[in-house]
Amino acid sequence: MCGIIGYTGNRSALPLLLGGLAALEYRGYDSAGVALQSDQLRIIKRRGRLAELCKALECEENLEAARCGIGHTRWATHGEPADRNAHPHGTERLALVHNGIIENYSEIGDFLKRKGYRFSSETDTEMAALLIDWFYLQSGDPKKAIFAATDMLRGSYALGVVFAAEKERIYAIRRDNPLIVAVTEAASFIASDIPALLAYTKEYYRPDDGILAVLSPGNAVFCRSDGSPVSLSTERVDFDVTAAQKGGWAHFMLKEIHEEPVALGRTVSHYLGVDGLPDFKNPLLDRNFFARFERVQILGCGTAMHAGLIGRHILENLARLPTSVEIASEFRYRDPLLSKKDLVILLSQSGETADTLAALRYAKKEGIYTLAIVNVVGSSVAREADAVLYTPAGPEIAVASTKAYSVQCALLYLLAVYFGLCRGTVTPFLAKELCRSLGKQAPESVRAILAQNDRICHCAARLQSAEHLFYIGRGVDYALCTEGSLKLKEISYIHSEAYAAGELKHGTISLIEKGTPVVAMMTEKKLAEKMISAIREVRARGAFVLLIVSAEIAEQYQIPYDERLLLPPVQEVLAPFPGVVALQLLAYHVAALKGLDVDKPRNLAKSVTVE
Ligand code: M6R
């Protein structure tokens, strides 16, 4: 949700800023802009994709000489996407880029109006920029100005600021929004995320909330508001620049779907001990630890929450552990009933989702133990939870989350096996067997479904002109449908609904008419006959049914369909792995056939850092 980049060094800043913005464009892409320390402080910004900004920059002169600057790619919150609302904002004295929301922007606006300021945008960000400007006019000291302003700001932010009077310096500060700082021999950078820096370094600092970073070429110092210095250690990523590049793939989403077998294998082998049983690589997370919980509450948003639905199924089935799943943004507002014997599990790919972070803080405040399952190392959710399990999926760039879902499910599966061992519902022998097949069969079955890409593309062609679509399933298949439906909606703009097949007849079946496409998911044998009835019911009303069915069920039952996709043979409990990949590829091909921008769907951004 908005990408920030900043560079100060001995090279021309503009190409570096644009390279960084290209790497961050997945975070927001309705406008982009840069501020450069050239002969004077110059701000150039445009509505639309980065390409629009590049066109505008071609008409400017003398920008190459600038060795310091900041850039921004925007996901609009306050004010429509427009040149005037794009970042950077500022005055002739300073320019500022912002990721987050300033909640008390109108109060600050009143304050600034009284001081004589007039506004040129509808953004909350401009208020932050002008507030710093006002304090800067009072003290002439950038640090004092930034601290005085941030003291007044409510909400969440990562800010990058340059002052016209300090040609080589960048200031950066954050609250509840991601911001990293990196230093190389001759340059220093700020960025919202690591992919923007990977071409230059794998090491970075992650300042805590309220710590001001002051960057000059090849140096960064950190301080608190009282001026005291802060010493930080660097963190390091273990993937390289190619992991965050598209390679030869048409889209990041397609690349990331194809990375799932490897990501799954890596996740399982990382969390297996030499004895073939789960080992969470944290001495605190032992049997005694897990034995103390009587209930699990899983929280997350979007795809992560959907992975939680699979987790609930496995935890309840394998470990017989009562588990509930809730949308993180709803959780804390309903005054939930929690007990000290609850374990709250937070699921998040980015680890920066504001709603998930807020839910985590709520649970912690209530004294409930929190365990985060997160992909981005060092992210806010990871750092604030009582314990964290990282999913080694590598960077996920496409806005539509794919591989993160699968590895979250795999980790929840391992947790369920471990809980089962602790609770005596799973024997050590069975536990080893389950872990072994998770590490082997799950990736293999995903490879087998990926091999059916052409067949899936053929099915997608039959759905691409639909206006509305239903996904139906029962049990774990209903959970899969929620994810399949979200994937289709977000990238193809086709309205779709996931429905528990047994619930259709209680109202929604009235929407089925001749030709209505229905994707029917069938991997649970015990529910096969029930699903067949539901399929007959919708077909009797003219629905076009795409059946996605496990090979074993297809062999055993006569199931009516219009198109059929056979899932590779795999243990039933592992069927969600190839099942979800079939749904991801289906959504991908529908969107690609429609010629849509698969990786950057409209109105969305990868990391939702505002509530
Ligand atoms: O980074 P997170 O996993 O916390 O993100 C949660 C959702 O915003 C995310 O899964 C979103 O639903 C995706 N765009 C779905 O593809």
Side-chain angles (χ1 to χ4, degrees):
M1 193 136 285
C2 299
I4 288 178
I5 181 84
Y7 169 83
T8 178
N10 60 359
R11 291 167 58 183
S12 173
L14 184 57
L16 283 123
L17 294 180
L18 293 177
L21 289 181
L24 292 173
E25 213 184 3
Y26 68 91
R27 300 180 65 86
Y29 30 84
D30 59 47
S31 36
V34 289
L36 288 158
Q37 293 278 23
S38 134
D39 39 342
Q40 53 186 358
L41 182 56
R42 287 167 67 184
I43 295 178
I44 302 109
K45 49 192 192 174
R46 282 295 177 277
R47 174 187 197 279
R49 296 285 166 95
L50 190 54
E52 298 304 316
L53 174 67
C54 293
K55 269 191 233 151
L57 288 165
E58 279 167 23
C59 310
E60 300 283 331
E61 282 176 4
N62 296 333
L63 294 178
E64 299 72 31
R67 300 272 183 269
C68 172
I70 51 177
H72 188 266
T73 174
R74 180 174 187 243
W75 185 87
T77 58
H78 297 58
E80 59 171 352
D83 290 358
R84 67 184 181 287
N85 291 330
H87 303 205
H89 290 279
T91 62
E92 68 275 21
R93 287 171 290 278
L94 65 87
L96 170 145
V97 287
H98 168 220
N99 173 23
I101 285 187
I102 307 299
E103 285 165 3
N104 56 338
Y105 74 101
S106 87
E107 209 174 281
I108 291 173
D110 293 342
F111 171 84
L112 290 166
K113 269 188 222 156
R114 289 197 297 274
K115 304 292 175 199
Y117 281 94
R118 293 290 165 266
F119 312 132
S120 51
S121 78
E122 292 102 59
T123 64
D124 53 336
T125 301
E126 190 183 11
M127 302 306 121
L130 300 185
L131 191 62
I132 294 176
D133 187 68
W134 190 78
F135 283 117
Y136 182 54
L137 284 174
Q138 311 311 300
S139 66
D141 179 337
K143 280 192 209 166
K144 279 190 185 152
I146 292 172
F147 279 126
T150 50
D151 222 31
M152 273 176 73
L153 300 181
R154 277 206 316 273
S156 68
Y157 50 80
L159 303 176
V161 197
V162 287
F163 291 82
E166 298 192 347
K167 291 256 179 275
E168 292 195 323
R169 207 159 268 187
I170 300 176
Y171 294 84
I173 191 163
R174 73 181 199 107
R175 184 196 291 162
D176 291 345
N177 258 280
L179 180 78
I180 56 174
V181 173
V183 177
T184 63
E185 214 171 286
S188 304
F189 302 82
I190 56 166
S192 297
D193 202 357
I194 294 142
L197 303 183
L198 276 178
Y200 316 103
T201 181
K202 285 184 171 189
E203 290 197 355
Y204 58 90
Y205 299 97
R206 200 182 282 275
D208 278 334
D209 283 3
I211 301 297
L212 180 68
V214 184
L215 287 78
S216 49
N219 190 35
V221 291
F222 303 93
C223 64
R224 299 185 186 86
S225 57
D226 61 6
S228 59
V230 178
S231 151
L232 295 180
S233 320
T234 52
E235 296 172 22
R236 195 180 162 79
V237 277
D238 58 4
F239 47 84
D240 62 23
V241 68
T242 54
Q245 287 172 344
K246 222 189 292 180
W249 297 93
H251 296 100
F252 275 110
M253 182 179 176
L254 192 60
K255 174 183 180 240
E256 286 158 10
I257 293 173
H258 279 80
E259 285 170 349
E260 290 185 53
V262 172
L264 278 170
R266 203 190 296 137
T267 304
V268 178
S269 61
H270 182 75
Y271 287 109
L272 278 192
V274 278
D275 56 0
L277 293 172
D279 172 357
F280 297 109
K281 308 281 184 287
N282 175 344
L284 291 177
L285 304 184
D286 61 4
R287 285 201 186 206
N288 291 335
F289 168 82
F290 285 102
R292 71 187 221 223
F293 298 111
E294 289 178 359
R295 197 172 69 142
V296 167
Q297 168 77 67
I298 301 179
L299 302 171
C301 302
T303 289
M305 190 277 286
H306 293 158
L309 296 175
I310 302 288
R312 175 176 70 188
H313 184 84
I314 319 170
L315 279 159
E316 293 201 330
N317 277 280
L318 278 183
R320 307 303 298 150
L321 183 61
T323 303
S324 40
V325 184
E326 190 162 352
I327 299 168
S329 54
E330 287 295 313
F331 173 70
R332 71 195 165 118
Y333 292 110
R334 69 172 174 85
D335 207 2
L337 293 172
L338 296 165
S339 125
K340 296 278 184 286
K341 293 190 169 166
D342 289 352
L343 172 66
V344 164
I345 299 182
L346 292 307
L347 294 179
S348 177
Q349 186 284 130
S350 63
E352 299 294 350
T353 301
D355 290 319
T356 308
L357 192 57
L360 160 73
R361 288 176 179 165
Y362 181 93
K364 279 188 81 173
K365 207 171 87 246
E366 296 294 306
I368 310 300
Y369 197 90
T370 54
L371 172 68
I373 295 183
V374 169
N375 196 37
V376 177
V377 176
S379 53
S380 302
V381 172
R383 293 198 313 173
E384 291 192 27
D386 294 305
V388 59
L389 297 176
Y390 285 113
T391 50
E396 193 183 65
I397 308 292
V399 165
S401 185
T402 53
K403 60 178 176 175
Y405 173 95
S406 291
V407 293
Q408 283 164 354
C409 291
L411 242 171
L412 288 166
Y413 193 106
L414 290 174
L415 278 172
V417 170
Y418 204 71
F419 262 119
L421 274 173
C422 302
R423 294 166 64 82
T425 58
V426 173
T427 63
F429 176 79
L430 178 60
K432 273 187 206 168
E433 193 44 37
L434 288 167
C435 293
R436 205 184 57 81
S437 28
L438 179 69
K440 197 166 177 315
Q441 283 191 31
E444 276 174 8
S445 63
V446 169
R447 273 192 196 97
I449 195 72
L450 290 173
Q452 292 196 53
N453 183 56
D454 291 350
R455 173 93 195 102
I456 297 174
C457 186
H458 163 82
C459 296
R462 306 220 44 191
L463 303 179
Q464 73 175 100
S465 45
E467 268 182 51
H468 307 279
L469 206 143
F470 289 90
Y471 286 77
I472 61 170
R474 299 194 67 154
V476 77
D477 292 325
Y478 170 54
L480 282 172
C481 285
T482 59
E483 178 56 8
S485 169
L486 174 64
K487 230 49 339 150
L488 186 85
K489 274 190 278 252
E490 75 177 319
I491 60 171
S492 77
Y493 315 147
I494 295 176
H495 166 246
S496 78
E497 271 192 57
Y499 239 80
E503 184 67 10
L504 275 173
K505 57 188 173 294
H506 297 291
T508 305
I509 201 163
S510 67
L511 293 172
I512 305 288
E513 52 188 8
K514 194 168 165 26
T516 305
V518 174
V519 177
M521 201 72 203
M522 275 181 83
T523 69
E524 272 205 80
K525 219 189 292 167
K526 69 170 191 274
L527 291 165
E529 283 171 358
K530 309 278 171 213
M531 268 305 288
I532 292 172
S533 304
I535 292 172
R536 288 195 191 289
E537 284 160 14
V538 292
R539 282 191 99 229
R541 285 152 183 90
F544 167 89
V545 171
L546 165 58
L547 173 67
I548 304 183
V549 60
S550 68
E552 211 187 334
I553 295 181
E555 227 170 72
Q556 216 173 317
Y557 296 91
Q558 285 289 327
I559 316 167
Y561 61 84
D562 297 284
E563 282 287 354
R564 187 177 73 167
L565 209 55
L566 280 180
L567 294 174
V570 68
Q571 239 174 288
E572 189 173 295
V573 69
L574 300 177
F577 293 99
V580 79
V581 172
L583 294 171
Q584 292 166 350
L585 273 179
L586 186 70
Y588 169 80
H589 284 300
V590 170
L593 287 168
K594 289 179 78 175
L596 297 170
D597 190 345
V598 176
D599 287 336
K600 298 190 191 101
R602 70 183 177 208
N603 304 339
L604 292 173
K606 180 70 183 164
S607 163
V608 186
T609 55
V610 296
E611 265 198 68

